[in-house]
Amino acid sequence: MSVKTIAGVAVNISEEGYLEDMSQWNEEIANEIAKEIGIELTPKHFEVLNYLRDKTAAKESLTIRGVGKSGIVTIKELYGLFPKGPLKFSSKIAGIPKPTSCI
């Protein structure tokens, strides 16, 4: 674990860059992480991010298929919002641990 300053806030991150503590997350941090990845967040992105945070807080496992069945986005839309790793990048931006389903 290391400390990184994101959007002016010192946060604990894993070796892969995921926040270690969900409570350190806020929308400014999300925007900064997304910018580093090359994604500009929209309200639809935040719907997905909040869904992921809610599921993680409820200790539910996350999968691309599960997000696609959420009613928020389809799998195709999820790939459109978070290209090149929809669950990996959305989880990182959402400030949650890397899902076990991600390589």
Side-chain angles (χ1 to χ4, degrees), residues 3-101:
V3 177
K4 180 177 180 181
T5 301
I6 304 173
V9 179
V11 295
N12 299 320
I13 59 168
S14 70
E15 291 177 10
E16 296 183 75
Y18 291 82
L19 291 186
E20 293 283 334
D21 182 355
M22 283 179 52
S23 69
Q24 293 181 312
W25 183 89
N26 61 43
E27 289 191 6
E28 290 80 24
I29 288 174
N31 280 309
E32 192 69 30
I33 294 169
K35 194 180 301 181
E36 289 176 7
I37 296 170
I39 297 172
E40 186 173 329
L41 298 180
T42 65
K44 191 57 142 179
H45 285 93
F46 278 104
E47 282 185 62
V48 173
L49 299 177
N50 288 319
Y51 170 82
L52 297 175
R53 292 180 58 77
D54 290 344
K55 290 296 180 186
T56 300
K59 307 274 190 236
E60 295 180 29
S61 61
L62 297 172
T63 63
I64 290 174
R65 178 172 281 162
V67 177
K69 291 182 177 182
S70 68
I72 296 170
V73 290
T74 64
I75 293 173
K76 184 177 180 179
E77 290 169 329
L78 184 64
Y79 273 89
L81 291 171
F82 303 97
K84 300 180 185 174
L87 195 55
K88 180 179 179 179
F89 290 133
S90 61
S91 296
K92 189 175 278 192
I93 296 166
I96 60 174
K98 182 179 179 181
T100 55
S101 62

